[in-house]
Amino acid sequence: MDIGVLLPTGKAQWGADGDPRDLVAFGIEAERSGFSSLFVNDSLISPRIEALTMLAALAPATERVTLGTGALLPFLRRPVQVAQSLASIDLLSGGRLAVAVGAGFPGRFGRPFYTLSEVPWAHRFARLDETVALWRALWAGATSFHGEILRYDDLPAATRPYRADGPPIWLGGATPAALDRTGRLYDGWLPYPPAPSDYASGLLSVRKAAADSGRLAEQITPALFVSVRVGESPRGSLDDYARANYGMPLAELEKIQAVVSGSAEQILDGLGRYVAAGARHLVIRLAALDLRSQHDQLERIAALIPDLQALDTTPL
């Protein structure tokens, strides 16, 4: 059972007086507090520290934690360039990188990014899968690549990652098509379904797709992205967080994303329902809007790590 934390790389999480240079120290504190992974998200929706830059800064400053993206949007960057960056981070971290990817979705978090990146919205899922296939081919030493969208006849020698087969690549998303693609093509699943029952049914679909493709369920990491706020009567703070980060009230956010809040006992119960549904790597986003509050929430959740790990009592 892995318990990870999403670093507050967005300006909305620093607070008016926050210093983003504290983020490396935040990551070190999380590692020392018992978290097993540090994740960063990727977006153009608000000012933030760029995801791969943040991971490169964390690589030499940490020793054992997994460094992950939740989720990286490959269409924002040139695909060969990203393969080089990811391999470099994997090397600098000694093989501790995990790359969750996504294609974006309609609305303010998706289509406008494609316009800014000068990449067509159409066939975005095929583009994502081909980009990942290209990375893997480059890391294996390929000198050419011919997909339906991406085609290269003369690829230069690429930087090889720390691990011979490269970092594991997970997929975010929970549509039927995403579940099928996760089972067939990816090394992990990082969704944020608002109900544990949705997680359980999605994981069954992922594993069926894997079995149909001749893969083992154990090859796919079942992860969960979840926003958490520890404390008594947290609804007001959570609503402020939802409006600042997503531009919507908490009641709307809870319809589309996993949110767990309340006392320590309520947090254990809420997250425990997802563990019972099959999640084995929790990526916790701290629902706080300044670095002081982020540190406080980090400490509160760190105190729960032994109890959270104890929830994983049966293999799936």
Side-chain angles (χ1 to χ4, degrees):
M1 187 72 188
D2 288 303
I3 314 298
V5 64
L6 187 80
L7 268 71
T9 56
K11 190 174 182 180
Q13 293 95 52
W14 306 339
D17 300 321
D19 186 341
R21 290 174 295 182
D22 183 47
L23 292 172
V24 173
F26 189 95
I28 294 171
E29 178 187 350
E31 181 176 57
R32 291 174 178 171
S33 298
F35 289 90
S36 55
S37 63
L38 303 174
F39 275 71
V40 297
N41 63 9
D42 188 29
S43 177
L44 293 176
I45 202 66
S46 63
R48 68 181 60 248
I49 301 300
E50 192 273 329
L52 300 185
T53 302
M54 187 74 251
L55 294 185
L58 289 167
T62 56
E63 298 178 354
R64 60 169 183 81
V65 288
T66 295
L67 302 176
T69 60
L72 189 73
L73 302 174
F75 66 86
L76 298 179
R77 305 162 179 86
R78 299 296 185 186
V80 175
Q81 173 199 12
V82 183
Q84 171 87 350
S85 297
L86 295 174
S88 298
I89 294 170
D90 199 48
L91 282 170
L92 292 170
S93 66
R96 292 186 284 123
L97 180 64
V99 186
V101 298
F105 48 89
R108 64 194 290 258
F109 298 105
R111 190 185 290 267
F113 296 171
Y114 279 80
T115 300
L116 289 169
S117 301
E118 299 180 327
V119 174
W121 175 254
H123 309 298
R124 59 192 181 280
F125 301 113
R127 179 180 295 275
L128 174 63
D129 292 344
E130 281 197 13
T131 298
V132 170
L134 171 64
W135 295 346
R136 288 170 169 161
L138 282 166
W139 296 333
T143 57
S144 63
F145 181 88
H146 298 97
E148 294 297 321
I149 298 173
L150 304 176
R151 303 182 65 84
Y152 301 93
D153 292 321
D154 188 17
L155 289 169
T159 298
R160 300 293 182 92
Y162 185 87
R163 290 159 288 188
D165 53 353
I169 303 179
W170 304 354
L171 185 65
T175 64
L179 300 175
D180 178 72
R181 289 162 53 235
T182 300
R184 291 187 295 106
L185 302 172
Y186 289 84
D187 305 307
W189 183 45
L190 183 63
Y192 47 76
S197 58
D198 295 330
Y199 190 95
S201 61
L203 186 56
L204 284 175
S205 296
V206 167
R207 289 175 168 167
K208 181 182 185 303
D212 291 345
S213 300
R215 305 179 70 202
L216 299 175
E218 293 77 13
Q219 293 178 276
I220 303 171
T221 300
L224 171 74
F225 184 100
V226 54
S227 294
V228 175
R229 175 84 183 191
V230 187
E232 302 299 331
S233 303
R235 299 291 296 181
S237 297
L238 269 171
D239 190 67
D240 291 341
Y241 154 82
R243 293 175 186 275
N245 284 281
Y246 295 98
M248 64 180 70
L250 176 61
E252 293 300 313
L253 181 64
E254 289 176 318
K255 294 177 182 178
I256 60 173
Q257 188 177 113
V259 179
V260 176
S261 64
S263 66
E265 292 74 18
Q266 289 172 313
I267 297 299
L268 289 173
D269 178 68
L271 293 179
R273 295 175 187 272
Y274 283 99
V275 174
R280 290 297 180 269
H281 193 138
L282 306 181
V283 179
I284 295 174
R285 180 168 191 168
L286 307 174
L289 293 177
D290 60 77
L291 286 176
R292 181 176 180 178
S293 298
Q294 290 277 341
H295 281 281
D296 175 68
Q297 288 293 308
L298 186 75
E299 182 177 343
R300 289 170 179 255
I301 294 172
L304 301 178
I305 288 178
D307 291 327
L308 288 170
Q309 291 174 330
L311 294 173
D312 178 12
T313 58
T314 57
L316 294 174

